[in-house]
Amino acid sequence: MKHAHGLTQKILIAMVLAIILGTCAQWLQGVTPWLDTIINDWLVGGLFLILGKVFVATLKLLVVPLVLVSLVCGAASLGSGKQLGRLGGKTISLYLITTAIAISLAMLMAMLFEPGVGANLTSQSTVNIQQASSFAQVIIDIFPSNPIAAMADGKMLQIIVFALLLGMAINHSGDVGQRIRNQFEDWNVVILNLVTMLMHFAPFGVFALLFTLFARQGLGAIAELSVYFFTVVLVLVMQMLLIYPALLVGLSRLNPVIFMNKMRSTQLFGFSTSSSNATLPVTMRTAEERLGVDNRVASFCLPLGATLNMDGTAIMQGVATVFIAQAYGIDLSAMDFLTVIATATLASIGTAGVPGVGLVMLSMVLTQVGLPVEGIALIIGVDRLLDMMRTSVNVTGDTTVACIVAKSEKQLDETVFNDPDAGLVGDDMDSGLIGKK
Ligand code: ASP
């Protein structure tokens, strides 16, 4: 056994410490002016602000190069357009199914626990929700007119389309294509190693992000919205511990305990950054190096999943819709339920996995079923905390689908999947690096 789960353990310790110390810092606000200066100006607005921002930036800086290089490699080694079509068909169907399950479960539980009955409508704060784009625009926006602009703006679906086309052309270019492909493959190894190197900074980054959040926000908001909050948490836990394991066993005969153990650090990254996009480099590394998903599947499924598949977000939307309907005393018909399921499933297509985007999607859903969008103000107080948890579920859902698709395409190395030490990032800077001679 290598010097083992070093990094995951350190991140976990950093997270717990940050939550405890951050909450204490919130309680200490206003005790004495000098303590306020230390907490607010030096720590929350100084040191930890810098550390947290730098941490998220270092993750984000990897996303575009990694998706481009990795997907070009994947597409260049896919045999035919037919294979890509099959991969795409399976991936997108599974994403839609898992999201539909998530939101149905969420609405069912919300009907059971009735979080919105008797909610205090007067405690609204004003809310300014960005408008979601129309469905036609969403489809048009998938196709880039300028790949460099798409990369500069981090438009994931456009980058995916460009990388797929480039990869396919490389595949059809004989010797010339082979030379370019070798270059991309070398770049892929280098960038994955950069992910591994930067992951060592994670415990500090996670501490800084969570301390800042808890020192600013505290846990007070949960008390007022406890039934809503815990209904969402319960369904998130059910999705994570019942639905995904059932799919892994039922569709692929894969051991869910091994899967969940290996997913822990990725989930922690999702939790602390609240962004499936920023977590993507770690998700891709985990899928390929720790779980044995071939690059051809991982490079396609996971960037797509970070944008298309947000099961945790769908859960929040399901519970929130029922909550808002109950709070305003509006009855939802069976047709409304189906509309919510369809809209929430499709709404995620045009929205990237970044912090807080779930609320934009929720405004789309509420409009579809004629509920007041201002209702979002009722739940916004606990949304930041729920965002962290649902992002962990989102990245787990993406990786579950990647493993199932890989297994069905015979692109899953089960020796790697079952090896507890495969691709571990330990304490030693070199461990987990690939391609070294
Ligand atoms: N933060 C989530 C994600 O990146 C999206 C959301 O629910 O707001 O996956």
Side-chain angles (χ1 to χ4, degrees), residues 72-131:
V72 168
C73 294
S77 42
L78 277 175
S80 60
K82 221 165 104 197
Q83 207 181 345
L84 178 64
R86 211 179 46 222
L87 200 64
K90 281 183 190 172
T91 307
I92 293 173
S93 314
L94 278 169
Y95 282 157
L96 294 181
I97 293 170
T98 49
T99 308
I101 295 176
I103 189 156
S104 309
L105 198 62
M107 293 182 80
L108 209 72
M109 290 315 229
M111 296 298 285
L112 209 66
F113 291 109
E114 302 193 323
V117 173
N120 179 10
L121 285 178
T122 53
S123 72
Q124 293 184 22
S125 51
T126 47
V127 59
N128 194 1
I129 294 294
Q130 197 189 320
Q131 272 306 302

Short mmCIF file of all heavy atoms in Angstrom, two decimals, residues 72-131:
data_model
loop_
_atom_site.label_atom_id
_atom_site.label_comp_id
_atom_site.label_asym_id
_atom_site.label_seq_id
_atom_site.Cartn_x
_atom_site.Cartn_y
_atom_site.Cartn_z
N VAL A 72 -9.72 15.74 -28.30
CA VAL A 72 -9.13 15.53 -29.63
C VAL A 72 -8.50 14.13 -29.66
O VAL A 72 -8.71 13.37 -30.60
CB VAL A 72 -8.08 16.62 -29.95
CG1 VAL A 72 -7.28 16.24 -31.18
CG2 VAL A 72 -8.76 17.96 -30.19
N CYS A 73 -7.76 13.77 -28.60
CA CYS A 73 -7.17 12.42 -28.53
C CYS A 73 -8.27 11.38 -28.60
O CYS A 73 -8.16 10.39 -29.35
CB CYS A 73 -6.42 12.19 -27.21
SG CYS A 73 -5.00 13.20 -27.04
N GLY A 74 -9.32 11.57 -27.80
CA GLY A 74 -10.41 10.59 -27.76
C GLY A 74 -11.06 10.44 -29.12
O GLY A 74 -11.22 9.33 -29.63
N ALA A 75 -11.41 11.58 -29.75
CA ALA A 75 -12.13 11.52 -31.03
C ALA A 75 -11.22 10.98 -32.13
O ALA A 75 -11.67 10.27 -33.03
CB ALA A 75 -12.64 12.90 -31.40
N ALA A 76 -9.91 11.28 -32.03
CA ALA A 76 -8.99 10.81 -33.06
C ALA A 76 -8.82 9.30 -33.01
O ALA A 76 -8.46 8.67 -34.00
CB ALA A 76 -7.63 11.49 -32.90
N SER A 77 -9.06 8.70 -31.83
CA SER A 77 -8.89 7.26 -31.78
C SER A 77 -10.22 6.50 -31.81
O SER A 77 -10.24 5.28 -31.67
CB SER A 77 -8.04 6.85 -30.58
OG SER A 77 -8.41 7.58 -29.46
N LEU A 78 -11.31 7.22 -31.99
CA LEU A 78 -12.59 6.51 -32.17
C LEU A 78 -12.60 5.97 -33.59
O LEU A 78 -12.28 6.68 -34.53
CB LEU A 78 -13.76 7.47 -31.99
CG LEU A 78 -14.22 7.75 -30.56
CD1 LEU A 78 -15.30 8.80 -30.56
CD2 LEU A 78 -14.73 6.49 -29.88
N GLY A 79 -12.99 4.70 -33.72
CA GLY A 79 -12.92 4.06 -35.02
C GLY A 79 -13.73 4.78 -36.09
O GLY A 79 -13.21 5.20 -37.12
N SER A 80 -15.00 4.99 -35.83
CA SER A 80 -15.84 5.52 -36.90
C SER A 80 -16.86 6.49 -36.31
O SER A 80 -17.03 6.57 -35.09
CB SER A 80 -16.60 4.37 -37.52
OG SER A 80 -17.38 3.75 -36.52
N GLY A 81 -17.53 7.19 -37.20
CA GLY A 81 -18.60 8.08 -36.77
C GLY A 81 -19.69 7.29 -36.06
O GLY A 81 -20.34 7.79 -35.15
N LYS A 82 -19.83 6.03 -36.48
CA LYS A 82 -20.87 5.18 -35.88
C LYS A 82 -20.58 4.97 -34.39
O LYS A 82 -21.48 5.03 -33.55
CB LYS A 82 -20.89 3.83 -36.61
CG LYS A 82 -22.30 3.32 -36.86
CD LYS A 82 -22.29 2.21 -37.87
CE LYS A 82 -22.48 0.87 -37.20
NZ LYS A 82 -22.10 -0.24 -38.05
N GLN A 83 -19.29 4.75 -34.11
CA GLN A 83 -18.90 4.52 -32.71
C GLN A 83 -19.19 5.76 -31.85
O GLN A 83 -19.68 5.66 -30.73
CB GLN A 83 -17.41 4.20 -32.67
CG GLN A 83 -17.00 3.35 -31.49
CD GLN A 83 -15.51 3.08 -31.50
OE1 GLN A 83 -14.82 3.28 -32.49
NE2 GLN A 83 -15.00 2.63 -30.37
N LEU A 84 -18.88 6.93 -32.45
CA LEU A 84 -19.14 8.17 -31.74
C LEU A 84 -20.65 8.35 -31.51
O LEU A 84 -21.08 8.75 -30.42
CB LEU A 84 -18.59 9.35 -32.55
CG LEU A 84 -18.82 10.73 -31.96
CD1 LEU A 84 -18.09 10.87 -30.63
CD2 LEU A 84 -18.36 11.83 -32.90
N GLY A 85 -21.42 8.02 -32.54
CA GLY A 85 -22.87 8.13 -32.43
C GLY A 85 -23.40 7.25 -31.31
O GLY A 85 -24.24 7.68 -30.50
N ARG A 86 -22.85 6.01 -31.23
CA ARG A 86 -23.31 5.09 -30.18
C ARG A 86 -22.94 5.62 -28.80
O ARG A 86 -23.74 5.61 -27.87
CB ARG A 86 -22.66 3.73 -30.44
CG ARG A 86 -23.50 2.57 -29.99
CD ARG A 86 -22.85 1.26 -30.28
NE ARG A 86 -21.45 1.25 -29.90
CZ ARG A 86 -20.47 0.72 -30.64
NH1 ARG A 86 -20.75 0.19 -31.81
NH2 ARG A 86 -19.23 0.72 -30.22
N LEU A 87 -21.70 6.10 -28.70
CA LEU A 87 -21.22 6.65 -27.43
C LEU A 87 -22.10 7.83 -27.00
O LEU A 87 -22.54 7.93 -25.85
CB LEU A 87 -19.78 7.13 -27.65
CG LEU A 87 -18.89 7.31 -26.45
CD1 LEU A 87 -18.67 5.98 -25.78
CD2 LEU A 87 -17.56 7.91 -26.87
N GLY A 88 -22.34 8.72 -27.96
CA GLY A 88 -23.16 9.90 -27.69
C GLY A 88 -24.57 9.50 -27.28
O GLY A 88 -25.12 10.02 -26.31
N GLY A 89 -25.14 8.55 -28.00
CA GLY A 89 -26.51 8.10 -27.73
C GLY A 89 -26.62 7.55 -26.32
O GLY A 89 -27.50 7.95 -25.54
N LYS A 90 -25.69 6.66 -25.97
CA LYS A 90 -25.74 6.04 -24.63
C LYS A 90 -25.55 7.09 -23.55
O LYS A 90 -26.26 7.12 -22.54
CB LYS A 90 -24.60 5.01 -24.50
CG LYS A 90 -24.89 3.69 -25.16
CD LYS A 90 -23.73 2.75 -24.87
CE LYS A 90 -23.84 1.50 -25.74
NZ LYS A 90 -22.66 0.65 -25.64
N THR A 91 -24.54 7.96 -23.75
CA THR A 91 -24.21 8.95 -22.71
C THR A 91 -25.40 9.89 -22.47
O THR A 91 -25.83 10.08 -21.33
CB THR A 91 -22.98 9.78 -23.14
OG1 THR A 91 -21.94 8.88 -23.48
CG2 THR A 91 -22.53 10.72 -22.06
N ILE A 92 -25.92 10.44 -23.57
CA ILE A 92 -26.98 11.43 -23.39
C ILE A 92 -28.24 10.77 -22.82
O ILE A 92 -28.89 11.32 -21.93
CB ILE A 92 -27.24 12.18 -24.71
CG1 ILE A 92 -26.00 13.03 -25.02
CG2 ILE A 92 -28.48 13.08 -24.62
CD1 ILE A 92 -25.99 13.70 -26.36
N SER A 93 -28.56 9.54 -23.29
CA SER A 93 -29.75 8.86 -22.73
C SER A 93 -29.58 8.66 -21.23
O SER A 93 -30.50 8.93 -20.44
CB SER A 93 -29.98 7.49 -23.35
OG SER A 93 -29.85 7.54 -24.72
N LEU A 94 -28.38 8.19 -20.83
CA LEU A 94 -28.19 7.95 -19.39
C LEU A 94 -28.25 9.25 -18.59
O LEU A 94 -28.79 9.28 -17.48
CB LEU A 94 -26.85 7.24 -19.14
CG LEU A 94 -26.88 5.73 -19.34
CD1 LEU A 94 -25.48 5.15 -19.34
CD2 LEU A 94 -27.70 5.05 -18.22
N TYR A 95 -27.71 10.32 -19.16
CA TYR A 95 -27.78 11.61 -18.46
C TYR A 95 -29.23 12.04 -18.27
O TYR A 95 -29.63 12.50 -17.20
CB TYR A 95 -27.01 12.68 -19.23
CG TYR A 95 -25.51 12.61 -19.05
CD1 TYR A 95 -24.63 13.15 -19.98
CD2 TYR A 95 -24.97 12.01 -17.91
CE1 TYR A 95 -23.26 13.08 -19.80
CE2 TYR A 95 -23.60 11.94 -17.73
CZ TYR A 95 -22.75 12.47 -18.69
OH TYR A 95 -21.40 12.41 -18.50
N LEU A 96 -30.01 11.89 -19.32
CA LEU A 96 -31.42 12.30 -19.21
C LEU A 96 -32.15 11.42 -18.21
O LEU A 96 -32.94 11.91 -17.38
CB LEU A 96 -32.11 12.23 -20.58
CG LEU A 96 -31.59 13.22 -21.64
CD1 LEU A 96 -32.35 13.08 -22.94
CD2 LEU A 96 -31.69 14.66 -21.14
N ILE A 97 -31.87 10.10 -18.25
CA ILE A 97 -32.58 9.19 -17.33
C ILE A 97 -32.22 9.50 -15.88
O ILE A 97 -33.10 9.61 -15.02
CB ILE A 97 -32.24 7.72 -17.68
CG1 ILE A 97 -32.84 7.38 -19.05
CG2 ILE A 97 -32.76 6.76 -16.61
CD1 ILE A 97 -32.39 6.04 -19.62
N THR A 98 -30.91 9.67 -15.60
CA THR A 98 -30.53 9.91 -14.19
C THR A 98 -31.12 11.23 -13.69
O THR A 98 -31.55 11.33 -12.54
CB THR A 98 -29.00 9.93 -13.98
OG1 THR A 98 -28.42 10.80 -14.96
CG2 THR A 98 -28.38 8.56 -14.11
N THR A 99 -31.18 12.23 -14.58
CA THR A 99 -31.75 13.51 -14.14
C THR A 99 -33.25 13.37 -13.91
O THR A 99 -33.79 13.91 -12.93
CB THR A 99 -31.47 14.61 -15.19
OG1 THR A 99 -30.08 14.62 -15.48
CG2 THR A 99 -31.90 15.97 -14.69
N ALA A 100 -33.92 12.65 -14.79
CA ALA A 100 -35.37 12.47 -14.62
C ALA A 100 -35.67 11.71 -13.33
O ALA A 100 -36.60 12.06 -12.59
CB ALA A 100 -35.96 11.76 -15.83
N ILE A 101 -34.85 10.69 -13.02
CA ILE A 101 -35.04 9.95 -11.75
C ILE A 101 -34.86 10.91 -10.58
O ILE A 101 -35.66 10.96 -9.65
CB ILE A 101 -34.02 8.78 -11.61
CG1 ILE A 101 -34.25 7.72 -12.69
CG2 ILE A 101 -34.07 8.17 -10.21
CD1 ILE A 101 -33.23 6.58 -12.68
N ALA A 102 -33.78 11.72 -10.67
CA ALA A 102 -33.45 12.63 -9.56
C ALA A 102 -34.61 13.59 -9.28
O ALA A 102 -35.04 13.73 -8.13
CB ALA A 102 -32.18 13.41 -9.89
N ILE A 103 -35.12 14.20 -10.32
CA ILE A 103 -36.16 15.22 -10.08
C ILE A 103 -37.48 14.58 -9.67
O ILE A 103 -38.21 15.12 -8.84
CB ILE A 103 -36.30 16.17 -11.29
CG1 ILE A 103 -37.22 17.33 -10.91
CG2 ILE A 103 -36.78 15.52 -12.54
CD1 ILE A 103 -37.03 18.54 -11.69
N SER A 104 -37.77 13.39 -10.19
CA SER A 104 -39.02 12.73 -9.79
C SER A 104 -38.97 12.38 -8.30
O SER A 104 -39.92 12.62 -7.55
CB SER A 104 -39.23 11.44 -10.59
OG SER A 104 -39.11 11.70 -11.95
N LEU A 105 -37.82 11.82 -7.89
CA LEU A 105 -37.63 11.47 -6.48
C LEU A 105 -37.77 12.72 -5.61
O LEU A 105 -38.41 12.71 -4.55
CB LEU A 105 -36.22 10.89 -6.34
CG LEU A 105 -35.89 10.06 -5.12
CD1 LEU A 105 -36.78 8.82 -5.10
CD2 LEU A 105 -34.43 9.63 -5.16
N ALA A 106 -37.18 13.82 -6.10
CA ALA A 106 -37.21 15.07 -5.32
C ALA A 106 -38.64 15.56 -5.14
O ALA A 106 -39.04 15.95 -4.04
CB ALA A 106 -36.37 16.13 -6.04
N MET A 107 -39.42 15.51 -6.22
CA MET A 107 -40.80 16.03 -6.11
C MET A 107 -41.65 15.14 -5.22
O MET A 107 -42.48 15.60 -4.44
CB MET A 107 -41.40 16.18 -7.50
CG MET A 107 -40.68 17.27 -8.27
SD MET A 107 -41.34 17.57 -9.88
CE MET A 107 -42.73 18.57 -9.55
N LEU A 108 -41.39 13.85 -5.32
CA LEU A 108 -42.12 12.89 -4.49
C LEU A 108 -41.85 13.16 -3.01
O LEU A 108 -42.78 13.25 -2.19
CB LEU A 108 -41.62 11.48 -4.86
CG LEU A 108 -42.60 10.35 -4.70
CD1 LEU A 108 -43.66 10.45 -5.80
CD2 LEU A 108 -41.86 9.02 -4.82
N MET A 109 -40.58 13.31 -2.67
CA MET A 109 -40.22 13.55 -1.27
C MET A 109 -40.76 14.89 -0.79
O MET A 109 -41.18 15.04 0.35
CB MET A 109 -38.69 13.53 -1.09
CG MET A 109 -38.09 12.17 -1.27
SD MET A 109 -39.06 10.95 -0.40
CE MET A 109 -37.91 10.08 0.46
N ALA A 110 -40.74 15.88 -1.69
CA ALA A 110 -41.24 17.21 -1.30
C ALA A 110 -42.74 17.16 -1.04
O ALA A 110 -43.25 17.84 -0.15
CB ALA A 110 -40.90 18.23 -2.38
N MET A 111 -43.47 16.33 -1.79
CA MET A 111 -44.91 16.18 -1.55
C MET A 111 -45.13 15.55 -0.18
O MET A 111 -46.07 15.86 0.53
CB MET A 111 -45.54 15.27 -2.62
CG MET A 111 -45.50 15.81 -4.03
SD MET A 111 -46.40 17.33 -4.20
CE MET A 111 -48.06 16.72 -4.16
N LEU A 112 -44.22 14.63 0.15
CA LEU A 112 -44.34 13.90 1.41
C LEU A 112 -44.04 14.81 2.61
O LEU A 112 -44.77 14.84 3.59
CB LEU A 112 -43.32 12.75 1.36
CG LEU A 112 -43.64 11.50 2.12
CD1 LEU A 112 -44.87 10.83 1.50
CD2 LEU A 112 -42.44 10.52 2.04
N PHE A 113 -42.94 15.58 2.51
CA PHE A 113 -42.52 16.39 3.67
C PHE A 113 -43.15 17.79 3.70
O PHE A 113 -43.03 18.49 4.70
CB PHE A 113 -40.99 16.50 3.71
CG PHE A 113 -40.32 15.20 4.04
CD1 PHE A 113 -39.60 14.49 3.09
CD2 PHE A 113 -40.42 14.66 5.31
CE1 PHE A 113 -39.00 13.28 3.39
CE2 PHE A 113 -39.82 13.45 5.63
CZ PHE A 113 -39.10 12.76 4.66
N GLU A 114 -43.76 18.20 2.62
CA GLU A 114 -44.44 19.51 2.52
C GLU A 114 -43.62 20.67 3.09
O GLU A 114 -44.08 21.36 4.02
CB GLU A 114 -45.79 19.43 3.23
CG GLU A 114 -46.67 18.35 2.65
CD GLU A 114 -48.12 18.46 3.11
OE1 GLU A 114 -48.33 18.82 4.28
OE2 GLU A 114 -49.01 18.22 2.29
N PRO A 115 -42.41 20.92 2.58
CA PRO A 115 -41.56 21.95 3.18
C PRO A 115 -42.15 23.37 3.09
O PRO A 115 -41.82 24.23 3.90
CB PRO A 115 -40.27 21.87 2.35
CG PRO A 115 -40.66 21.23 1.06
CD PRO A 115 -41.78 20.29 1.41
N GLY A 116 -43.03 23.61 2.10
CA GLY A 116 -43.50 24.98 1.88
C GLY A 116 -44.77 25.34 2.62
O GLY A 116 -45.16 26.51 2.66
N VAL A 117 -45.40 24.33 3.25
CA VAL A 117 -46.66 24.63 3.93
C VAL A 117 -46.37 25.54 5.13
O VAL A 117 -45.54 25.22 5.97
CB VAL A 117 -47.37 23.32 4.37
CG1 VAL A 117 -48.58 23.61 5.22
CG2 VAL A 117 -47.74 22.50 3.14
N GLY A 118 -47.02 26.68 5.14
CA GLY A 118 -46.83 27.63 6.25
C GLY A 118 -45.55 28.43 6.15
O GLY A 118 -45.14 29.06 7.12
N ALA A 119 -44.89 28.43 4.98
CA ALA A 119 -43.65 29.22 4.85
C ALA A 119 -43.98 30.70 4.97
O ALA A 119 -45.06 31.14 4.59
CB ALA A 119 -43.00 28.95 3.50
N ASN A 120 -43.01 31.43 5.52
CA ASN A 120 -43.25 32.84 5.80
C ASN A 120 -42.96 33.70 4.56
O ASN A 120 -41.83 34.03 4.25
CB ASN A 120 -42.33 33.24 6.98
CG ASN A 120 -42.48 34.69 7.32
OD1 ASN A 120 -43.38 35.36 6.82
ND2 ASN A 120 -41.60 35.17 8.18
N LEU A 121 -44.03 34.09 3.87
CA LEU A 121 -43.86 34.82 2.61
C LEU A 121 -43.34 36.24 2.81
O LEU A 121 -42.86 36.85 1.87
CB LEU A 121 -45.19 34.89 1.85
CG LEU A 121 -45.63 33.61 1.17
CD1 LEU A 121 -46.98 33.80 0.51
CD2 LEU A 121 -44.62 33.16 0.14
N THR A 122 -43.45 36.75 4.05
CA THR A 122 -43.03 38.13 4.26
C THR A 122 -41.52 38.25 4.39
O THR A 122 -40.98 39.34 4.28
CB THR A 122 -43.68 38.71 5.53
OG1 THR A 122 -43.40 37.81 6.59
CG2 THR A 122 -45.16 38.93 5.36
N SER A 123 -40.84 37.14 4.62
CA SER A 123 -39.40 37.22 4.84
C SER A 123 -38.60 37.28 3.53
O SER A 123 -37.44 36.96 3.49
CB SER A 123 -38.92 36.02 5.65
OG SER A 123 -38.96 34.87 4.83
N GLN A 124 -39.30 37.71 2.47
CA GLN A 124 -38.60 37.74 1.19
C GLN A 124 -37.54 38.83 1.12
O GLN A 124 -37.77 39.93 1.55
CB GLN A 124 -39.59 38.02 0.07
CG GLN A 124 -40.57 36.93 -0.14
CD GLN A 124 -41.45 37.25 -1.33
OE1 GLN A 124 -41.09 38.02 -2.20
NE2 GLN A 124 -42.61 36.65 -1.35
N SER A 125 -36.43 38.48 0.52
CA SER A 125 -35.48 39.52 0.13
C SER A 125 -35.70 39.72 -1.36
O SER A 125 -36.31 38.89 -2.00
CB SER A 125 -34.06 39.04 0.40
OG SER A 125 -33.87 37.79 -0.18
N THR A 126 -35.22 40.84 -1.89
CA THR A 126 -35.42 41.00 -3.34
C THR A 126 -34.41 40.12 -4.06
O THR A 126 -33.32 39.88 -3.58
CB THR A 126 -35.21 42.45 -3.79
OG1 THR A 126 -34.02 42.89 -3.21
CG2 THR A 126 -36.40 43.32 -3.43
N VAL A 127 -34.81 39.68 -5.23
CA VAL A 127 -33.93 38.76 -5.94
C VAL A 127 -33.86 39.19 -7.39
O VAL A 127 -34.83 39.61 -7.98
CB VAL A 127 -34.45 37.32 -5.78
CG1 VAL A 127 -35.85 37.16 -6.32
CG2 VAL A 127 -33.54 36.33 -6.46
N ASN A 128 -32.64 39.11 -7.89
CA ASN A 128 -32.44 39.54 -9.27
C ASN A 128 -31.91 38.34 -10.05
O ASN A 128 -30.72 38.04 -10.00
CB ASN A 128 -31.42 40.68 -9.24
CG ASN A 128 -31.42 41.40 -10.55
OD1 ASN A 128 -32.19 41.04 -11.45
ND2 ASN A 128 -30.58 42.41 -10.67
N ILE A 129 -32.80 37.65 -10.70
CA ILE A 129 -32.38 36.43 -11.38
C ILE A 129 -32.18 36.70 -12.86
O ILE A 129 -33.03 37.25 -13.54
CB ILE A 129 -33.43 35.31 -11.17
CG1 ILE A 129 -33.48 34.90 -9.71
CG2 ILE A 129 -33.12 34.10 -12.03
CD1 ILE A 129 -32.24 34.26 -9.18
N GLN A 130 -31.03 36.25 -13.31
CA GLN A 130 -30.68 36.38 -14.71
C GLN A 130 -31.65 35.57 -15.57
O GLN A 130 -32.08 34.50 -15.17
CB GLN A 130 -29.29 35.75 -14.79
CG GLN A 130 -28.47 36.02 -15.96
CD GLN A 130 -27.25 35.08 -15.86
OE1 GLN A 130 -26.70 34.85 -14.78
NE2 GLN A 130 -26.88 34.53 -16.97
N GLN A 131 -32.02 36.09 -16.73
CA GLN A 131 -32.94 35.35 -17.59
C GLN A 131 -32.24 34.20 -18.32
O GLN A 131 -31.14 34.34 -18.80
CB GLN A 131 -33.53 36.31 -18.64
CG GLN A 131 -34.78 37.02 -18.16
CD GLN A 131 -35.85 36.05 -17.67
OE1 GLN A 131 -36.28 35.18 -18.41
NE2 GLN A 131 -36.25 36.17 -16.41
#
